[in-house]
């Protein structure tokens, strides 16, 4: 099994079909689900599934948590979007990666996050800290080739 960081291939096509709206107040609802190292997630992942998802613990429940999306920005020829950091409190868990998915679009996969190694919280807080909301670092970027 493996988790490989990637933007979902299906998401790329769905963008052109208008299936994903990242507008802050009126956009789609996005969630982040955590997965164990037994999961297989990569660019071919098309939808959220709970197979090998981290078990319910503390504030973390099956399906993960709702992400607060930040409206898209275009700067220097790059369109980008980011999410606010998300934390799950009172948890005891080990996660190897995560899936961001669009609840408003039939749980369509957006992107896979690979933590690079198992990350653990014991009776504590598990936080996903997203990169800076910039043309070079935002979690989702579309730019010139």
């Amino acid at each position: 099994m493996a988790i490989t960081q990637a933007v979902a291939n299906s998401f790329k096509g769905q963008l052109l079909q208008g299936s994903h709206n990242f507008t802050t107040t009126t956009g789609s609802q996005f969630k982040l689900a955590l997965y164990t190292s037994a999961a297989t997630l990569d660019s071919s992942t098309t939808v959220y599934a709970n197979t090998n998802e981290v078990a319910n613990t503390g504030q973390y429940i099956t399906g993960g948590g709702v992400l607060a999306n930040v409206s898209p920005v275009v700067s220097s020829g790059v369109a980008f979007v980011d999410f606010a950091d998300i934390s799950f409190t009172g948890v005891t868990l080990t996660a190897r990666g995560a899936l961001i998915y669009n609840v408003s679009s039939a749980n369509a996969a957006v992107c896979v996050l690979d933590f690079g190694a198992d990350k653990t919280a014991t009776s504590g807080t598990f936080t996903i800290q997203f990169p800076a909301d910039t043309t070079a670092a935002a979690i989702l970027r579309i730019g010139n080739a």
Side-chain angles (χ1 to χ4, degrees), residues 107-118:
N107 294 334
V110 173
C111 66
V112 174
L113 306 178
D114 177 3
F115 300 157
D118 283 347

Side-chain angles (χ1 to χ4, degrees), residues 30-34 59-67 86 88 101:
F30 296 90
K31 290 182 89 175
L32 180 140
L34 298 172
Q59 190 187 36
Y60 186 84
I61 59 170
T62 302
V66 176
L67 291 169
I86 185 170
F88 302 100
Y101 65 100

Side-chain angles (χ1 to χ4, degrees), residues 103-127:
V103 176
S104 304
S105 187
N107 294 334
V110 173
C111 66
V112 174
L113 306 178
D114 177 3
F115 300 157
D118 283 347
K119 303 297 181 186
T120 302
T122 304
S123 297
T125 301
F126 192 93
T127 300

